[in-house]
């Protein structure tokens, strides 16, 4: 998972990629879960959303395959 952001509260985009290159249901969310999903092996979620987060903003990405959560990673923006 990779993200681009400005300051502490504005996320520009999130890119989620599977490690093995096989497709699954990718999801990405910022601060809260918004059901952003794509059934592929790589997807870029453009969010351009400002969220007030205290003390830090969490940007998360994950992979579901066959109804199971395979990977789920979150990064805290300093």
């Amino acid at each position: 998972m990779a993200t681009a952001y400005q300051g502490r509260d504005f996320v520009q985009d999130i890119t989620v990629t599977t490690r093995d290159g096989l497709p699954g249901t990718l999801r990405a969310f910022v601060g809260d879960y918004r059901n952003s999903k794509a059934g592929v092996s790589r997807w870029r979620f453009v969010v351009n959303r400002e969220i007030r987060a205290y003390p830090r903003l969490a940007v998360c990405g994950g992979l579901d395959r066959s109804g199971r959560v395979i990977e789920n990673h979150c990064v805290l923006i300093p």
Side-chain angles (χ1 to χ4, degrees):
M1 185 192 67
T3 186
Y5 59 90
Q6 291 179 4
R8 221 181 61 114
D9 300 317
F10 190 75
V11 176
Q12 292 175 298
D13 67 70
I14 304 168
T15 301
V16 181
T17 307
T18 59
R19 291 181 187 177
D20 57 12
L22 298 174
T25 301
L26 300 179
R27 64 183 183 294
F29 51 99
V30 179
D32 59 344
Y33 183 69
R34 296 180 65 82
N35 284 328
S36 296
K37 295 184 178 184
V40 292
S41 65
R42 181 179 174 86
W43 190 260
R44 183 178 180 191
F45 296 87
V46 178
V47 294
N48 281 322
R49 224 176 118 207
E50 188 169 359
I51 298 175
R52 293 287 173 209
Y54 181 81
R56 290 191 288 181
L57 181 65
V59 176
C60 304
L63 167 65
D64 294 342
R65 228 181 243 153
S66 301
R68 297 182 343 210
V69 175
I70 306 295
E71 300 176 43
N72 195 16
H73 301 283
C74 290
V75 174
L76 291 176
I77 295 176

